[in-house]
Amino acid sequence: MHAEERSPKIRALIVDDEPLARSNLAVLLRADPEIASVSESGSGAEAIGEMRIVRPDLLFLDVQMPECDGFDVLELLGNDLPPAVVFVTAYDHYALRAFETGALDYLLKPFDNARFELALGRAKQRIHLGAGRRQRLDRVAIKNAGEVFFVKISDIDWIEAADYYSCLHVGARSHLLRRSMVELEDDLDPSLFCRVHRSSIVNLDRVRGLKLGQDGEYEVLLQNGAQVRLSRRYRKHLQARMGVRGHAGHAEI
């Protein structure tokens, strides 16, 4: 039995607003016997929908695209990413950002066949080794005023729902992430984060205590001084997670 027969076939998606660039990559990918299918998207916005349908194992993603660029695509997908992401761009100054978002490799246009084969080989190795393994989100990309920067998940104190966005509170700063809290919660490590209200999630490492208010409702006290409302629906769950017993008016943890 040949190696390609033992290995699962790979579904690939190319996202680039330049038709010629997509075509060149598609030709190279289809020449590999381990590639089962090659899909194409001409924009970042189109790629989001295509990702949900194709569920690719390998994503070749252009950085610079109008309206929704490569970093926007990663932000919108959150942890719902394929095992291997390879950025493709004509500008090398995006390389550091690409790797910080979890990209496996970075192809600088124009690239030759040897460089492509190296990237594809790395991708295939990542896909085969990581098959069936789920990775929790460890950082998120925030885009603001034309800049992209990264926030470590472990640095977040608490998260607040803001319509279709999530507001990440990190120390004295807050950042809007273009993902709903429902989507984000599914990607967070449940051993570190806990929902305390329909619109709030707290980092358990930042919880200092609980305070009973005059209205009979509890507030979650955080180490940075913030107070987050604790709804009755989530009270017992949080108390169990934090080892709190009884109904003391002010419980330090």
Side-chain angles (χ1 to χ4, degrees):
M1 183 177 290
H2 297 293
E4 59 267 21
E5 295 174 333
R6 293 194 303 267
S7 301
K9 295 294 184 177
I10 295 170
R11 299 181 301 274
L13 173 63
I14 303 167
V15 182
D16 198 311
D17 62 323
E18 299 178 3
L20 181 59
R22 295 199 308 272
S23 177
N24 290 340
L25 276 172
V27 169
L28 292 171
L29 284 168
R30 291 189 175 108
D32 191 292
E34 289 188 60
I35 303 298
S37 64
V38 179
S39 303
E40 301 179 28
S41 291
S43 70
E46 179 185 321
I48 301 301
E50 191 72 11
M51 286 280 295
R52 312 292 188 193
I53 298 171
V54 176
R55 307 298 296 179
D57 308 293
L58 170 58
L59 175 64
F60 281 88
L61 182 61
D62 186 26
V63 174
Q64 282 202 317
M65 293 180 289
E67 296 182 4
C68 183
D69 64 23
F71 293 112
D72 290 331
V73 171
L74 294 191
E75 181 183 339
L76 288 168
L77 289 172
N79 211 39
D80 192 22
L81 288 173
V85 177
V86 177
F87 268 106
V88 185
T89 182
Y91 303 95
D92 59 2
H93 59 269
Y94 290 112
L96 179 59
R97 292 180 180 177
F99 288 121
E100 287 183 328
T101 58
L104 174 68
D105 208 339
Y106 186 91
L107 286 178
L108 186 62
K109 301 175 184 177
F111 52 85
D112 56 25
N113 288 6
R115 182 64 184 87
F116 169 81
E117 290 296 336
L118 178 61
L120 181 58
R122 289 172 176 169
K124 289 192 289 187
Q125 184 179 32
R126 167 75 64 85
I127 292 165
H128 297 328
L129 290 177
R133 185 184 307 165
R134 172 155 188 193
Q135 295 183 342
R136 291 291 179 181
L137 202 63
D138 62 355
R139 70 183 64 207
V140 290
I142 305 293
K143 186 173 182 179
N144 182 35
E147 295 184 349
V148 178
F149 59 97
F150 306 93
V151 174
K152 289 184 178 180
I153 294 297
S154 59
D155 289 342
I156 297 172
D157 296 308
W158 66 290
I159 303 168
E160 181 180 17
D163 293 328
Y164 297 105
Y165 292 76
S166 295
C167 183
L168 312 182
H169 296 273
V170 184
R173 302 187 64 184
S174 60
H175 312 283
L176 276 180
L177 179 66
R178 191 163 49 182
R179 295 189 67 200
S180 73
M181 207 169 70
V182 173
E183 293 177 319
L184 185 58
E185 183 182 21
D186 189 51
D187 292 336
L188 295 173
D189 186 346
S191 68
L192 183 61
F193 288 89
C194 181
R195 184 182 282 267
V196 296
H197 191 276
R198 62 182 177 82
S199 60
S200 306
I201 296 173
V202 298
N203 183 337
L204 294 174
D205 286 345
R206 299 294 197 277
V207 176
R208 178 170 61 84
L210 303 177
K211 179 181 179 181
L212 183 61
Q214 294 182 350
D215 59 358
E217 298 294 332
Y218 278 94
E219 300 279 343
V220 181
L221 307 178
L222 302 183
Q223 293 175 357
N224 65 355
Q227 297 185 21
V228 182
R229 174 72 64 162
L230 173 60
S231 72
R232 295 182 181 182
R233 176 181 178 185
Y234 299 101
R235 182 193 304 169
K236 289 184 178 179
H237 180 59
L238 176 66
Q239 289 177 331
R241 296 284 301 277
M242 302 302 299
V244 177
R245 296 181 180 179
H247 297 278
H250 189 114
E252 292 290 335
I253 299 172

